[in-house]
Amino acid sequence: MREFLTVDRVANKIRQLRQTYSGAFLLVEGSSDKVFYERFVDKKLCHLEITAGKPSSKQCAIEILAILETSNFQGILAIVDADFDHLQNTPVTIPNLLRTDTHDLETMLINSLAFDKVITLFGSEEKIIKFGRDLRSALLESGMSVGYLVWVSQSDGLNLKFDGIEFSKFVDSQTLKINELKLITEVINKSQAYSLTNEDIQKRLTNKKSSSHDPWQVCRGHDLVEILSIGLRKAIGSNPAIDVKPNSDDSKNTLEGILLLAYEEIYFYETQLYSEIRLWETNNPPFQVLRNNA
């Protein structure tokens, strides 16, 4: 596992590169983000830099921007996951910071026609008809329970752990609906947060929920892919688990990887993020991030 660079080291690295490189710099959160944005970026005019680190890659990107902007560094842009920012109306206080249209990059993929391609590839037409519900809506409905629990954990300072939770313990493989109490139990056990009760968490969840919240802002893409993986094995497909792995550090043959490959450039041109990058270029001449034919 590679050692994460500190924000100071990344900022210094970019300063050193500026001595011999006059193009733009684009900060992105992780390797999958880099794979995604590389398809649209003019590599001769823009250098991509990953900001992976703790407490979060997003926070690292924001801190690197702040460090460089303090010294009036020109031509630096960061794109990060929105997470819950749009729901919380979090103001953008850093001029060179852009956020994804939906919760994260993965939800942008699922909200595009790339999702339909993956369903065509792995889904069973007969089972999908029998399922009887819009697949995106079904995923969002289930994913919101996890998303709200993550939001509660962050806003209430509960520090619950979600990495490694087993979705099969709380997702019905036939309906894809979530048993919220089983979800809470799984997260409490994974977090070893035994001072919290199911009833307490359930109450916090109820208080956080609102019909005015956009599901695309509440749901995390990784969670939706986990639920989709379960569905493609039984409810809407008959695939072996190995063929529809949600994600993996050591393999590109995963649902997230296939969604990335299925995402066409034309889908990106229709996003708010694309428009905001073009506006940034207009406001920051002569720096350019995207290819001219993009």
Side-chain angles (χ1 to χ4, degrees), residues 94-143:
I94 301 176
N96 300 306
L97 178 69
L98 299 180
R99 299 182 175 98
T100 51
D101 290 16
T102 53
H103 188 100
D104 49 32
L105 178 58
E106 289 73 25
T107 48
M108 284 183 66
L109 298 178
I110 294 170
N111 196 27
S112 76
L113 290 175
F115 175 81
D116 302 80
K117 290 184 180 181
V118 171
I119 296 302
T120 299
L121 183 63
F122 291 104
S124 159
E125 188 174 351
E126 182 182 345
K127 285 192 171 186
I128 291 171
I129 293 172
K130 185 179 178 181
F131 186 68
R133 301 169 65 206
D134 177 73
L135 296 181
R136 277 193 187 84
S137 298
L139 288 181
L140 288 170
E141 184 181 314
S142 296

Side-chain angles (χ1 to χ4, degrees), residues 11-219:
N12 288 334
K13 176 185 176 182
I14 291 172
R15 286 195 187 102
Q16 289 175 340
L17 286 171
R18 172 58 81 219
Q19 295 175 14
T20 56
Y21 179 73
S22 59
F25 290 92
L26 176 61
L27 304 176
V28 296
E29 289 191 41
S31 56
S32 61
D33 300 70
K34 185 177 181 183
V35 169
F36 177 83
Y37 292 111
E38 273 181 336
R39 298 170 60 185
F40 315 107
V41 163
D42 189 321
K43 296 178 184 177
K44 292 181 180 178
L45 301 176
C46 180
H47 172 86
L48 274 86
E49 189 70 35
I50 295 174
T51 65
K54 295 180 179 179
S56 73
S57 300
K58 176 178 179 176
Q59 188 59 38
C60 287
I62 292 171
E63 290 179 13
I64 292 164
L65 269 183
I67 290 170
L68 292 172
E69 288 180 346
T70 298
S71 59
N72 200 32
F73 190 95
Q74 302 296 306
I76 181 80
L77 175 67
I79 301 175
V80 297
D81 288 342
D83 298 325
F84 300 105
D85 291 351
H86 294 311
L87 293 172
Q88 297 171 144
N89 295 318
T90 304
V92 178
T93 55
I94 301 176
N96 300 306
L97 178 69
L98 299 180
R99 299 182 175 98
T100 51
D101 290 16
T102 53
H103 188 100
D104 49 32
L105 178 58
E106 289 73 25
T107 48
M108 284 183 66
L109 298 178
I110 294 170
N111 196 27
S112 76
L113 290 175
F115 175 81
D116 302 80
K117 290 184 180 181
V118 171
I119 296 302
T120 299
L121 183 63
F122 291 104
S124 159
E125 188 174 351
E126 182 182 345
K127 285 192 171 186
I128 291 171
I129 293 172
K130 185 179 178 181
F131 186 68
R133 301 169 65 206
D134 177 73
L135 296 181
R136 277 193 187 84
S137 298
L139 288 181
L140 288 170
E141 184 181 314
S142 296
M144 284 180 75
S145 292
V146 189
Y148 272 122
L149 188 53
V150 173
W151 194 5
V152 164
S153 175
Q154 292 179 3
S155 60
D156 293 4
L158 302 182
N159 297 315
L160 297 174
K161 293 179 172 58
F162 294 86
D163 288 344
I165 58 173
E166 295 182 40
F167 279 70
S168 59
K169 290 186 176 180
F170 51 83
V171 175
D172 187 297
S173 62
Q174 290 285 11
T175 66
L176 301 187
K177 292 185 177 180
I178 277 185
N179 182 314
E180 218 163 66
L181 286 176
K182 288 183 178 179
L183 162 65
I184 292 169
T185 298
E186 169 70 0
V187 172
I188 286 177
N189 288 339
K190 182 65 67 175
S191 310
Q192 297 185 332
Y194 302 119
S195 61
L196 298 171
T197 65
N198 285 8
E199 292 73 22
D200 176 37
I201 299 297
Q202 186 76 62
K203 184 177 180 180
R204 292 172 189 254
L205 269 180
T206 301
N207 290 338
K208 180 66 75 175
K209 292 178 180 179
S210 169
S211 59
S212 67
H213 292 154
D214 181 355
W216 290 108
Q217 304 296 342
V218 176
C219 293

